[in-house]
Amino acid sequence: MSLAVELKREEEEKEKRMEWWRRAKFGMFIHWGLYSIPAGVWKDKRIPGIGEWIMYRAKIPVKEYEKLTELFNPVKFNAEEWVKIAKEAGMKYMVITAKHHDGFCLFNTRYTDYNVVKATPFGRDPLKELSSVCRKEGMKLGFYYSHVLDWHHPDGMGNDWDYDPAKKDFVRYFRDYVEPQVEELLTNYAPVALLWFDIGNRLPYPELARELRDLVRNLSPDTIINGRIGHGMGDYIEMGDNKIPEHKLEGDWEVPMTLNDTWGYKSYDHNWKTPGRVIQILVEVVSKGGNLLLNVGPTAEGEIPKPAVDVLKEVGKWLKVNGESIYGASASPIEVPTDALYMCTAKPGKLFIHVIAWPWYGELKVYDIPEKVRRAYLLATGDELSFTQEGTHLKIKAPRDPPDNIDTVVVLELD
Ligand code: GLC
């Protein structure tokens, strides 16, 4: 095969692979593991920072941290329930930590006994259970896998309090442990919609990123790979944590976002974003062309915290009414002034004007409309709105009571 033909085929495969993801726009991130037990507290001391980093921050020796396995018994875990929560929130994919930096495996693996089935009283395999429910419910499921940092494995990166960095053989860790485990995930938990790698910018060997990507491609060509695999080997760009780009961005990208200030559960972090805030964030991300992966950190009992569920429910209610303006929508084709009361998402022939501060004085001004507007109506109710257009400038008569105080969507049909 010539290089040109091969590149074309790769491009076509990618288009096919990315199709569902581009439409999905909104996913659930789940950080769950042994760190959910201390939940931000170690030996009666609150450990600052994100919850899943507690082993690192408190420099907990492997032998001590390992004992958490004896306490991991999340009897309230119910895969059906979690998938239902995601669905009701309007989320179209879920990504759960199969292995985070602490090295504990939330799945059954041949390559270490430090896993949920072999080492805990729980003895069940949450990823298996989630995978079967997701298949049944038509929910896309992906796995987070920490391929660079592993504070438990003697050759993994990051733990210099138990192991001497000079004695580590990272390549051995990668080839004899990471790659076989990724293979396990792809074969034993198929179909894997997405593999979410992390900290790839610290992966010292570009050839290992390529090797890992090729392994995924060969075993499971439909599995999407996120950008943090490193060295440009991903299918899409992963933004920094909680970082929304300032401007519209071409290409495929995603923002991972916390619902409070941690990924893994912390008992004393109550800084939940409100439903309104989450909706605004989602709209902003979609209006700039990206996806939002919003995190929940279940407790050691296996429950998604109630305040998180409550917020997600409200977001889901809004999406039920206004989903047309989000799923499959593209970035705003019009210039939105920074001080505007609205944001914009689009579909062919339609602009969705998301009014986040309703103009109580009765007139909504929208700028930079490229074509003649044929019709304007409220997405929630279908009510027609009268308007006047002067060139690219639209004045819409705004009814006194908007259907939604958080974000009322006005649809503009273009000629
Ligand atoms: C960071 C953290 C990690 C978290 C991730 C989520 O890279 O190291 O704990 O899982 O962000 O995006």
Side-chain angles (χ1 to χ4, degrees), residues 29 31 52-53 100-101 144 196 198-199 228 241 256 263:
F29 212 178
H31 277 70
E52 73 284 3
W53 274 73
H100 205 268
H101 308 332
Y144 173 111
W196 213 100
D198 205 358
I199 323 265
R228 290 196 197 164
D241 296 344
W263 306 90

Side-chain angles (χ1 to χ4, degrees), residues 29 74 130 165 193 195 225 238 260 299 324 349 355 360 364 383 396:
F29 212 178
L130 269 171
L195 279 174
I225 302 172
E238 200 69 60
N260 46 1
T299 65
E324 195 199 328
V355 189
W360 304 102
L364 174 67
D383 289 354
I396 303 170

Side-chain angles (χ1 to χ4, degrees), residues 13 35 38 44 49 56-57 60 90 108 125 168 204 225 255-256 279 283 285 294 316 349 352 381 405 409:
E13 277 179 6
Y35 41 79
D44 297 324
Y56 182 91
R57 290 273 156 75
I60 305 171
N108 199 5
D125 182 338
K168 287 186 186 186
I225 302 172
V255 180
I279 291 166
V283 172
V285 168
L294 184 65
F352 300 99
T381 60
N405 277 324
V409 181

Side-chain angles (χ1 to χ4, degrees), residues 54 82 95 118 145 204 211 213 238 249 265 312 343 406:
I54 193 164
W82 286 15
V95 178
K118 295 191 184 113
Y145 184 93
E211 217 171 272
R213 187 218 35 200
E238 200 69 60
L249 207 67
Y265 179 69
L312 293 180
M343 295 189 271
I406 289 170

